[in-house]
Amino acid sequence: MQRTTQAALETTGTAPLAEASQPGRLISLDVFRGITVMAMILVNNPGDWGHIYPPLEHAEWNGCTPTDLIFPFFLFIVGVSLVYALDGVKRQGGPQGAVLLRVLRRAGVLFGLGLLLSLYPKFDFSVVRIMGVLQRIALVFLGCSVIFLKTNWRTQVWLMVSFLIGYAVLMQLVPVPGFGPANLEPATNLGAWLDRTIFTEAHLWKQSKTWDPEGLLGTLPALATGLLGGLTAQWLRHRGPEPAAKVAWLFVAGGGLILLGLCWAPWFPINKALWSSPYVLYTGGLAMAGLAALYWICDVQGYRHWTRPALVYGVNAILVFCLSALLSRTFGLFKLALPGGKTGGLKEWLYEWGIAQHFSDPRTASLVGAVTLIVIWYFILSWMYKKGVVLKV
């Protein structure tokens, strides 16, 4: 049970706070996290970026593919996890200064890890990307933790609604300095302007140079995603309803959020890069339904024999995310000859000689390359799981 508790809190970096938690750790949450991390590894590490099946790519701009569900699911899980980590402290009603300092420190560590990934391997601070995936996780974890500790669930609902509506107003009504009326285009929307003004183009996402998909203003609706996870956790921890009723109402709420997001989309498109308000509702509803299904299967019905791969990944989620990125960039430092007279990194060399030449369809080969990496990481993480080795952020 102790190992499971650690696993549940690793992603948010709050493991030491678990001592104050209430009992009743969700196996389903660990499974949900593990599945999400495996999906993240799958889409982030294709064998060949030029040949990918459409569901494994992000939507070009508006719209939502299965790949676009992964990050909001992760932030939703962060919101659920922090409630289980901090609820005991909140219930005690005593001073929270020490806990808030720990939360701040862990958010700082996560943000720092994100900067490290941006810097490696060149460590050129003049062009380092300031924002990123881990940085957004850090800000959402920090903001949602403080909100959870200082407010009740009703206030959290109102804050979530306020973040979503306020963000929509800012993006769709506030004129963009230097560009004119409000718009939702990649480089000329208010969020892109704000990131260029604060960070400058040198410190934005290198693939765009003029905007960042994890930009500063988009953190506002991302907080709503985390709050939605926190509210879900508080419902699951509520002692009143029977498990069947909890699951039923989560499906109802999740379906309502999906429908609301789709109804809002014609006016404010579902868009991951903007982290649009309908995107929060749509993906949050799907995450809520997914967790409800896993809760019924794993925690209520007790069907857990199939969960080991997900649990193994869920325990060391941050470790595998960081190391997979670092190893990929390290392999890129070794230049080797590839078929056709080309040159590439060690990863490309292993893929071309070990996988690609055995498949006639390059997209299938690319998918096999990603799945192979997931299997390799599974054996490494499984050994760590047996030994009780857990990364503590």
Side-chain angles (χ1 to χ4, degrees):
M1 184 63 183
Q2 179 62 27
R3 181 179 296 170
T4 300
T5 301
Q6 290 178 334
L9 302 173
E10 276 310 313
T11 301
T12 59
T14 56
L17 302 178
E19 298 174 5
S21 301
Q22 296 293 316
R25 178 66 236 154
L26 295 180
I27 295 297
S28 53
L29 180 60
D30 303 322
V31 173
F32 195 15
R33 179 186 297 106
I35 293 172
T36 303
V37 173
M38 284 191 284
M40 189 178 293
I41 298 300
L42 181 72
V43 302
N44 284 348
N45 297 276
D48 180 0
W49 281 103
H51 298 91
I52 307 173
Y53 286 108
L56 301 180
E57 294 188 272
H58 291 292
E60 187 172 345
W61 188 241
N62 295 330
C64 185
T65 71
T67 298
D68 293 319
L69 300 177
I70 295 172
F71 196 12
F73 278 18
F74 205 83
L75 288 186
F76 179 90
I77 292 167
V78 168
V80 176
S81 299
L82 68 87
V83 169
Y84 277 84
L86 300 173
D87 194 37
V89 173
K90 186 175 182 179
R91 290 176 183 271
Q92 290 172 5
Q96 299 176 350
V99 175
L100 289 172
L101 284 176
R102 293 175 191 169
V103 166
L104 180 61
R105 184 183 70 82
R106 283 158 183 77
V109 171
L110 281 171
F111 201 99
L113 283 174
L115 288 177
L116 175 63
L117 291 182
S118 296
L119 285 165
Y120 186 82
K122 296 182 179 180
F123 290 92
D124 187 350
F125 287 87
S126 66
V127 293
V128 62
R129 182 189 179 193
I130 302 298
M131 301 299 288
V133 171
L134 289 179
Q135 292 92 318
R136 174 159 288 183
I137 292 174
L139 293 176
V140 169
F141 166 62
L142 176 61
C144 289
S145 294
V146 173
I147 290 171
F148 172 71
L149 287 171
K150 298 299 183 181
T151 65
N152 57 37
W153 70 268
R154 290 182 179 85
T155 302
Q156 292 161 33
V157 170
W158 281 111
L159 284 173
M160 182 182 70
V161 172
S162 298
F163 290 160
L164 295 178
I165 295 177
Y167 181 66
V169 169
L170 288 172
M171 293 296 288
Q172 296 184 280
L173 296 180
V174 176
V176 183
F179 293 97
N183 69 89
L184 301 176
E185 296 303 312
T188 59
N189 66 76
L190 185 64
W193 170 83
L194 183 65
D195 290 334
R196 288 194 299 272
T197 301
I198 295 178
F199 300 126
T200 73
E201 292 186 4
H203 299 289
L204 300 181
W205 188 42
K206 298 300 181 289
Q207 291 179 248
S208 69
K209 298 181 181 180
T210 58
W211 58 276
D212 200 304
E214 279 77 50
L216 196 59
L217 190 57
T219 305
L220 196 64
L223 283 169
T225 299
L227 287 175
L228 189 57
L231 290 166
T232 301
Q234 292 172 70
W235 171 246
L236 288 174
R237 290 176 65 82
H238 188 45
R239 299 181 184 275
E242 293 295 322
K246 290 181 178 180
V247 170
W249 280 111
L250 283 178
F251 275 119
V252 170
L257 290 172
I258 294 170
L259 182 60
L260 185 57
L262 292 173
C263 290
W264 197 350
W267 292 274
F268 193 5
I270 292 175
N271 185 304
K272 177 192 176 293
L274 295 176
W275 213 274
S276 66
S277 301
Y279 174 75
V280 171
L281 298 175
Y282 178 72
T283 58
L286 290 172
M288 187 179 292
L291 181 59
L294 290 172
Y295 172 73
W296 180 257
I297 294 169
C298 300
D299 293 290
V300 180
Q301 299 298 320
Y303 297 132
R304 303 176 183 177
H305 58 280
W306 59 276
T307 61
R308 180 178 173 83
L311 291 174
V312 164
Y313 265 87
V315 167
N316 278 300
I318 292 296
L319 175 69
V320 69
F321 175 80
C322 292
L323 286 185
S324 63
L326 291 173
L327 286 176
S328 178
R329 296 174 191 179
T330 300
F331 284 179
L333 299 175
F334 301 92
K335 300 302 180 182
L336 301 168
L338 301 177
K342 299 181 292 184
T343 60
L346 178 57
K347 179 183 176 182
E348 289 76 17
W349 184 86
L350 291 171
Y351 169 71
E352 291 291 341
W353 290 106
I355 296 176
Q357 62 179 333
H358 301 294
F359 294 87
S360 58
D361 184 355
R363 292 187 301 178
T364 301
S366 182
L367 177 60
V368 171
V371 173
T372 300
L373 185 62
I374 290 176
V375 173
I376 292 172
W377 273 114
Y378 170 74
F379 285 112
I380 296 172
L381 295 172
S382 183
W383 176 83
M384 295 176 63
Y385 186 83
K386 289 181 180 179
K387 299 295 183 179
V389 179
V390 178
L391 172 68
K392 294 183 178 181
V393 177

